[in-house]
Each structure stands twice: as structure tokens, then as C-alpha cells.
Amino acid sequence: MSKIVACYKWVLDESDIRINSDLSVDFSKAKGKISDYDRNAIEAAVKLAEAVGAKPVGLTFGSSKARQSLKDALSRGLEEAFWVKAEEAENADGAVTARALAAGIKAMGDVALVICAEGASDTYARQTASRIGALLDLPVVTSVLRVTVEGNTVTAVRKLDDCLETVKFELPGVISVLPEAFQPTIPGLKAVMAAGKKPVTEYDCGSLGVNLVSARKVMEVKAYAQERRNIIIEGDNAAAKVAAVVSNLKKEGVL
Amino acid sequence: MSESEKFDAIIVGAGPAGAACAYTLAREGKEVLVIERGDTPGSKNVTGGRIYTYALEMLDQGLSEEAALERKVTREQVMLLGGQRAITIDFHDPSFNRDGHPPMSYTVLRAPFDEWLAGKAEEMGAMVACGIRVDGLIEKDGKITGVIAGEDEMYADVVVAADGVNSLLAQKAGLIGEIDFNTVGVGVKEVIELPASTIEERFRLTNPEEGVACMILGCTEGIHGGGFLYTNKESISLGCVFMPGEVARHKKSIQEIFQDLKMHPAVYPLIAGGETVEYSGHLVGEAGYRGIPKQIYREGFVMIGDAAGFVINTGYSVRGMDLAILSGIAAARAIVNASSPAEIGPLYMQELERIQLLPTMRATDGYFDVLQTGWLYDRMPALATAVMADLYSVDAQPPAKLSRGIREQMKAHGISVWDVIKLGFKGVKI
Ligand SMILES: Cc1cc2nc3c(=O)[nH]c(=O)nc-3n(C[C@H](O)[C@H](O)[C@H](O)COP(=O)(O)OP(=O)(O)OC[C@H]3O[C@@H](n4cnc5c(N)ncnc54)[C@H](O)[C@@H]3O)c2cc1C
């Protein structure tokens, strides 16, 4: 049975990330989770596989921390999980990530459709689907709002700035789905229990021959915080207050 | 569903009660399923902040050493607040923390602790399913045979309700009714982050392992209740418990009274500069032995921990987590030893006696009466601090006679000698 692959990323939960007073970022207390948007990709894979009788599987490129993601992913209706493992995943750029995922896709074989989210909830770089398509020489359709598969033909509706574009392509191919498409369902008890018994395949980057060298280096991560002037204009005279506002805005160069 | 998929026990709730029960059952080779509604065990759980280690040691020797705990409690404090004044009693007994023995108690944060304990149960072989809320029970021929969660049904010889105070399952089983607002307190709590060294300086602790447990009286505007403060490794748990019925009649909201506590001149310097990283609220049983429902089991069903009302509040300490663990062990022993599901309940009651849980609760029953004394929460701390103010005030005038001063202050605070005698009578029954 051919596979529909949902790619997902194990990211830090942004609600646990702290900003220190010097604008440095504290990740130390953050727990992991499956990127929110990738849950939509998983849902899409499960729904499409059900419709066409394919096998929905999950694929992640991640460090040893991503082990925690497998049960969660499998409880969402995927039948098997594949994990391309490398500690380098934590600082990988889009090219490395796509190379690792493409290698995983090749290794598992018999893949009809690859589904990514439009972007990961941490970096939202929007590169993975296109890069995987390029590496595997497959058609790529991004910004997908709706998708149907009939026989070998995929019909996808793309949401662009001010219009909807409908495109068709023949399998195999790669799509990326928008955060508003395929609302994920919350797994039930039996699904959670079954997840622990589903097969997991680990791939080692070395044996897959993945080049893990990032061309891009992260130099610094700093929080962005809007600087506030904290000026309070007091007084009873409205005209004087308005004049003070205007003069302050002029001083800031915004007027 | 096939018979083979039936569990020996389904435990609902992965708090200390559920996890301890699962740990013990799995260790004895039972097929156990724990169902927890939080995305991870403990993610939404609330406690004040201190756990007694004897219960963990009873669960398994050495467990308290590897547990995800904060600081061992080396100082026991009571703070009496009266207006801007404060008296702090600071008790220290090195024998509570002797070398070669587990320290008597630790401060604790629930998210890491619950996750750790549930993880231990998983290591023993229990299956833990998180992010799932149990909605109801399955009943057949008058017996509880399983649980319903969403669209799924799951069966077991026995369902263990470890779902905490105001247990939904106990209600569904018909063993408790709607919550009685005279038997529970409403707790609010903030976790305030501070560097470890700041905590050590402010609380005069000599190293990062040591900590303070402090109960605060006189911070509830006369409402039956009190505050608490526990030092964690890099944060302070500060909270307050109130009787909800009295709060409803009070003009200030819980948040406002709690804010006043934070700003009190004796409290604010302890938390100044800290960052509140968590704000939570939860119910806590206040009725002690009398709060235990008449019946805490049915065929195929037992209640443990807060679900069974196992909390002791003496005013100077709160004990719920240790009793939760003990009752989890007791239920597990009953389940292991029962030769038929019908035997589990009666055996459980015996185990609760044997493990000293029920005797402990009976022995502390009298505290409830003492704590019903209304003037303990405002006039007593006000009086004590006023007497102190008299004692320590020095000026050019001759001081008033001490005994007369105290009598006058008692009168001014509306506490009669008779009130004190009545309290004494309640006290001697403890
Ligand atoms: C403000 C406050 C201060 C306290 N201070 C202390 C203290 O310092 N020391 C102490 O020992 N005790 C203290 N206690 C009491 C102590 O927290 C409790 O007694 C203890 O947590 C009880 O453990 P439990 O496992 O029975 O229940 P809980 O810890 O409440 O756990 C119940 C679990 O069940 C889950 N659950 C509930 N319903 C469902 C459902 N339908 N389906 C699936 N899962 C469900 C919950 O998510 C939770 O994880 C305090 C309590 C409060 C509120």
C-alpha cells in the first residue's frame, strides 16, 4: 500500500519560553510539542489516506528529544512513524532539514504524497515542502487550503492573497497545508492506547548519507520587545495636552 | 471489545494517589491503565507546597532520594499578621533532617513531581494515557465494570477514582453528592521566581538544599483560612486558602485579599523583584475525618486520595499528598490480595487502618473544631501583634502593667477569657 507521509517537527512550546530583562531568551524551562501547524499536516495525511485507501505515516527529523513525539504523533491516526535522528537537527537550517526528510522519504519507499505544514510554529521559514520537492524532483503545491485525491490526480485549492487558485498534479508530489486547513482532532483513549503499540522506524543520518552541515549559522537569538517611552501627559486643558502629544510625536520623528 | 483487553485496574487521575496506586499494582504484575486529563501528569495540578517523605519511602524505599522535589524543609515558620504588624515564629529542629535518613519533608512543585511519579509507574509497567478525560462509569448488574472517555469504553475488574477533590467519578457512582461549601476551602497560589541565592539570603538558609515552610495567619480579613509560603529551589510558592461561603459575603474579592497579603510589609520584601510565573486556584478539603464520605467503595470501584476526602489541615500544616500516596498503596494492596472483585472494598478499608491512614485522620479530628473558631483568623493575630507592640514600645512614659495591658488589649480586640477557655477545651480534645 502506498504511503501518505506527514512531516512534522518537535518544537519547544512557545508558552514556556521566557524573555529575560536583557532581552536574552531562556529556553531552559520549555517543554516540547509537535508544532501546532504540523498537527494539521498529520490530520490531512490521515484524512486523505482514509479517502484513497493509502497508509498514513509520520516522518520527523529530530534529536533524541524527538522520541517523545512519536507516541503523540501515532495517537493522531498515523499507522507508522519514521524518525530521522541526528542531534544536529536542533540547529539545522531549511536545507539540512529537507535533505534529512527527503532521505527518510526515499528510505521508506513507496510514497505517494508528502504533506508538510506551511511552516513550523517556531521558525515558520516556509521552506521544507519546496526543498523536499526540489530534492526528490516532485511537483510542489504550497498554501493548500483544500485538497482531494482521485485516482492518481491531486486537486488542490491554494489560498493566495486575494484569490483561490485550483491546481492539479499527478502523484507522487508534495503539498504544504495552511494552518486553517484540516483542523486536528483530539485523540481519544483508544487512539492514545494504540499509539504505544504502533511500529516506529529509526533512521541514522550517517547510514542515510545525509549531509548535516548547515550553510547558515545562527549568530544570536534575542527577544524583540517594543520600546515604550512611558510618557504620561497630565493636566486639565485638552488643547495643551494635545499640543504636548504632538510635540512628543514630532520629537520622535513620527510626525 | 475482547475480554483479553480488559485491565485488572483502571485508575482515573495521575496525581500522587493515582500514580502511587498504579506503581504498586504494576510492580505486583497487574495490568494497569492510568487515565489523566492533563496533557502531562501534574500539568494543571495545584498544591501548597510540601510533601512528607515517609509516604514515598513506604511506596518504595529510596524513592524520596530520586524524586523531583525542591528543598528539604529545615525551618518551620508561623507568621501572625495584624494590620501592618507581624510576628514570625521560626522553629528549627536538626533531628528532622538527620544524616543517613531521608529529610522529613520537602517543598515541591506539582508539574515536575507528578510527571516524575507517573513516569515511575510507567517504568513499572503501568500504561499512562494523558490528555484524556473520563466522562462516566460503566455499570452492569450493580457493579462498576469500566469507564467511558469520549466515544471510547474501557473495562476493568476495578475502577480506582483518583480524580481529586469533588470527584466526578464518586458522584457518578452515587457515593457523594454535590459539593458542600462548608467542607472545602478555595486555594489560590502564585509561583514567584527568584534566584536561588536571593531565596537563601532572604530566608537565612545556608545552602540551596534547605528550605522554609511557613503558614500565615491573619491575612484573610477574618475569613476562615490562612496563607502559606514555601521556598522552592528557584521560586517561592505563596498562596492563601479561604472558605468560599464567607468569601461570597465579603466585600473584597479573593484576588484583592491575596494582593494585600503580597504587599504586606512582612511579606513583600521576601518576594520583591520576583516574577510570577504561575497563578492557579484549586479546592482543598477542610473537614478532615468528617469530610470522608460514608462509603468510599462499591463493587468494582474504590476512591483514593482527595476523591476520598483524605486531607488533614491542622492550621500549622496541610497533609494531602502523603495521605494520597498511602491510600493509593492501600487500594493497590487490597486489589492484589482480593480473591474476587467483591472483596476489594472491605479489604481496602482494612488496609487503610493498617497503613495508619484512618487512625491518623481520627487522631486529628479535633482540629476541625479548633479551626472553626472565628476569632483565630483576625482578632487573635491582631491581639498578639498588639501585645507585642505594647511590649516593645519604649518612650518617656512609664509602661502600663503587662497583665493589665493584655487584658485591655483582649477587650479592645473583643476576645474574652471565656473565648480562650472554650478554645482550650477544644484544643485538649486533639
Ligand atoms: C492550595 C492548596 C494547598 C495545599 N497544600 C498542601 C501541602 O502543602 N501539602 C500536602 O501534602 N497537601 C497539600 N494540599 C492537598 C494536596 O494537594 C492534595 O491532597 C493532593 O493533591 C491529593 O492528591 P490526589 O492524587 O488525590 O488528587 P489530585 O492531585 O487532585 O490529582 C487528581 C488528578 O486527577 C485528574 N483528573 C480529575 N478528573 C479527571 C477525569 N475526569 N478524567 C481524567 N483525569 C482526571 C486531574 O487532572 C489530576 O491530575 C493542598 C491543596 C491545595 C488546594
Side-chain angles (χ1 to χ4, degrees):
Chain A
M1 200 182 0
S2 62
K3 300 186 190 75
I4 296 185
V5 182
C7 298
Y8 72 85
K9 182 176 182 183
W10 185 245
V11 299
L12 294 179
D13 190 336
E14 60 277 2
S15 62
D16 299 335
I17 296 173
R18 302 280 175 66
I19 312 271
N20 298 325
S21 50
D22 62 353
L23 295 187
S24 62
V25 186
D26 178 6
F27 297 106
S28 65
K29 302 238 162 50
K31 288 197 184 179
K33 65 171 182 181
I34 292 179
S35 164
D36 294 328
Y37 309 140
D38 290 346
R39 296 180 199 178
N40 301 46
I42 293 173
E43 183 75 14
V46 171
K47 285 280 143 63
L48 286 175
E50 200 178 275
V52 302
K55 178 177 174 183
V57 304
L59 171 64
T60 190
F61 169 52
S63 71
S64 45
K65 287 187 195 139
R67 180 179 299 284
Q68 294 170 59
S69 73
L70 302 169
K71 235 173 109 173
D72 186 354
L74 290 168
S75 73
R76 294 170 188 276
L78 301 172
E79 287 174 23
E80 190 171 352
F82 295 86
W83 174 19
V84 180
K85 204 172 142 184
E87 295 315 308
E88 288 87 341
E90 302 211 353
N91 301 309
D93 62 9
V96 171
T97 303
R99 287 199 291 265
L101 292 172
I105 291 162
K106 264 200 220 153
M108 71 174 84
D110 199 14
V111 171
L113 182 64
V114 177
I115 306 180
C116 300
E118 195 60 24
S121 58
D122 55 354
T123 52
Y124 211 73
R126 310 179 79 169
Q127 300 184 18
T128 314
S130 304
R131 283 182 178 274
I132 291 175
L135 287 168
L136 299 175
D137 198 18
L138 293 175
V140 179
V141 178
T142 58
S143 302
V144 172
L145 189 62
R146 290 192 293 273
V147 59
T148 51
V149 183
E150 227 161 298
N152 240 5
T153 309
V154 178
T155 309
V157 178
R158 306 180 63 219
K159 189 178 158 208
L160 305 176
D161 263 355
D162 50 3
C163 67
L164 297 176
E165 180 189 51
T166 304
V167 298
K168 277 185 195 290
F169 68 89
E170 296 294 306
L171 290 173
V174 184
I175 63 172
S176 60
V177 296
L178 290 168
E180 59 261 50
F182 294 97
Q183 278 313 305
T185 41
I186 295 165
L189 175 59
K190 287 201 174 151
V192 169
M193 289 171 59
K197 302 193 183 102
K198 290 181 180 173
V200 172
T201 305
E202 276 181 46
Y203 292 125
D204 172 69
C205 279
S207 47
L208 290 185
V210 181
N211 171 5
L212 290 170
V213 181
S214 285
R216 182 209 67 179
K217 297 254 176 306
V218 177
M219 307 305 292
E220 187 185 40
V221 178
K222 228 174 163 107
Y224 174 75
Q226 198 134 21
E227 214 179 298
R228 300 198 180 273
R229 288 284 177 272
N230 290 321
I231 299 169
I232 298 171
I233 297 163
E234 283 175 285
D236 298 326
N237 184 333
K241 282 200 277 188
V242 171
V245 171
V246 171
S247 98
N248 270 296
L249 290 174
K250 275 195 182 143
K251 209 159 54 188
E252 293 295 327
V254 286
L255 278 184
Chain B
M1 193 181 131
S2 72
E3 199 46 34
S4 64
E5 269 192 86
K6 186 172 148 187
F7 286 88
D8 292 323
I10 293 175
I11 299 171
V12 181
C21 189
Y23 180 94
T24 311
L25 283 172
R27 190 182 52 198
E28 301 299 322
K30 295 285 178 192
E31 294 275 345
V32 193
L33 170 65
V34 183
I35 306 176
E36 165 57 46
R37 70 177 166 193
D39 285 336
T40 50
S43 52
K44 299 249 154 48
N45 290 352
V46 182
T47 197
R50 168 230 293 262
I51 184 165
Y52 292 93
T53 55
Y54 79 94
L56 280 171
E57 290 298 312
M58 202 176 285
L59 185 56
D60 226 333
Q61 210 188 343
L63 261 192
S64 70
E65 273 162 53
E66 56 162 298
L69 299 169
E70 296 293 317
R71 290 169 183 261
K72 61 180 178 192
V73 176
T74 52
R75 310 184 91 97
E76 304 278 354
Q77 298 184 344
V78 176
M79 217 187 246
L80 302 181
L81 305 183
Q84 303 276 83
R85 298 168 176 150
I87 300 172
T88 305
I89 300 164
D90 185 351
F91 176 67
H92 178 66
D93 184 344
S95 79
F96 286 1
N97 296 287
R98 271 176 300 156
D99 280 349
H101 294 265
M104 190 159 71
S105 69
Y106 275 95
T107 57
V108 62
L109 289 167
R110 288 295 292 277
F113 177 77
D114 286 13
E115 200 171 353
W116 167 80
L117 192 57
K120 295 306 284 183
E122 245 176 333
E123 275 173 33
M124 281 291 161
M127 182 184 275
V128 181
C130 289
I132 311 280
R133 200 187 67 159
V134 171
D135 306 302
L137 294 167
I138 305 169
E139 207 174 318
K140 202 171 166 234
D141 306 328
K143 292 177 209 147
I144 307 291
T145 55
V147 299
I148 303 168
E151 313 206 315
D152 294 328
E153 296 186 347
M154 201 57 65
Y155 293 86
D157 285 340
V158 60
V159 174
V160 181
D163 52 342
V165 62
N166 198 18
S167 160
L168 174 82
L169 294 197
Q171 283 174 30
K172 297 262 177 194
L175 296 179
I176 62 169
E178 284 291 309
I179 196 157
D180 173 1
F181 282 101
N182 295 314
T183 60
V184 289
V186 179
V188 291
K189 172 182 148 182
E190 279 186 28
V191 178
I192 301 164
E193 268 189 5
L194 282 167
S197 56
T198 308
I199 294 175
E200 282 133 40
E201 268 163 40
R202 291 184 184 176
F203 291 88
R204 293 184 297 122
L205 301 165
T206 45
N207 65 56
E209 263 95 67
E210 296 184 349
V212 165
C214 177
M215 300 303 256
I216 308 167
L217 215 50
C219 60
T220 53
E221 301 218 337
I223 297 170
H224 182 148
F228 56 83
L229 182 156
Y230 298 96
T231 56
N232 305 310
K233 282 189 185 128
E234 290 182 335
S235 65
I236 286 173
S237 296
L238 178 67
C240 216
V241 177
F242 303 87
M243 291 313 273
E246 294 171 49
V247 172
R249 292 191 292 273
H250 203 78
K251 54 185 187 307
K252 267 196 196 169
S253 70
I254 289 181
Q255 287 79 359
E256 285 170 313
I257 304 174
F258 183 52
Q259 187 60 27
D260 289 346
L261 168 63
K262 284 170 64 183
M263 299 314 290
H264 191 280
V267 175
Y268 183 71
L270 301 173
I271 57 170
E275 192 195 345
T276 298
V277 293
E278 198 184 300
Y279 186 89
S280 56
H282 203 269
L283 296 178
V284 55
E286 290 283 334
Y289 185 65
R290 286 166 235 188
I292 303 173
K294 271 197 215 70
Q295 185 78 25
I296 54 172
Y297 66 86
R298 269 181 63 178
E299 189 161 346
F301 185 79
V302 296
M303 288 143 69
I304 62 176
D306 270 7
F310 297 149
V311 186
I312 297 172
N313 180 0
T314 58
Y316 54 83
S317 76
V318 181
R319 293 174 58 182
M321 286 179 282
D322 55 330
L323 303 183
I325 291 171
L326 290 193
S327 62
I329 300 171
R333 286 180 184 165
I335 293 165
V336 169
N337 294 332
S339 47
S340 76
E343 269 182 34
I344 293 174
L347 273 180
Y348 173 48
M349 298 312 291
Q350 287 175 24
E351 291 292 344
L352 286 173
E353 296 288 345
R354 197 142 64 164
I355 208 161
Q356 298 300 320
L357 189 152
L358 288 174
T360 301
M361 290 204 67
R362 272 186 220 109
T364 47
D365 186 34
Y367 282 97
F368 184 70
D369 297 317
V370 172
L371 296 177
Q372 289 295 66
T373 311
W375 52 267
L376 277 183
Y377 303 98
D378 52 355
R379 282 174 279 159
M380 185 279 285
L383 168 67
T385 47
V387 169
M388 284 301 210
D390 283 352
L391 278 182
Y392 286 100
S393 297
V394 173
D395 56 19
Q397 302 303 316
K401 213 168 164 244
L402 181 59
S403 59
R404 206 173 108 213
I406 292 177
R407 246 180 300 147
E408 270 170 16
Q409 285 291 10
M410 282 179 70
K411 215 162 132 203
H413 287 90
I415 298 174
S416 65
V417 175
W418 178 233
D419 286 331
V420 178
I421 293 172
K422 270 198 298 196
L423 183 69
F425 267 114
K426 289 179 190 165
V428 292
K429 287 201 212 133
I430 293 173

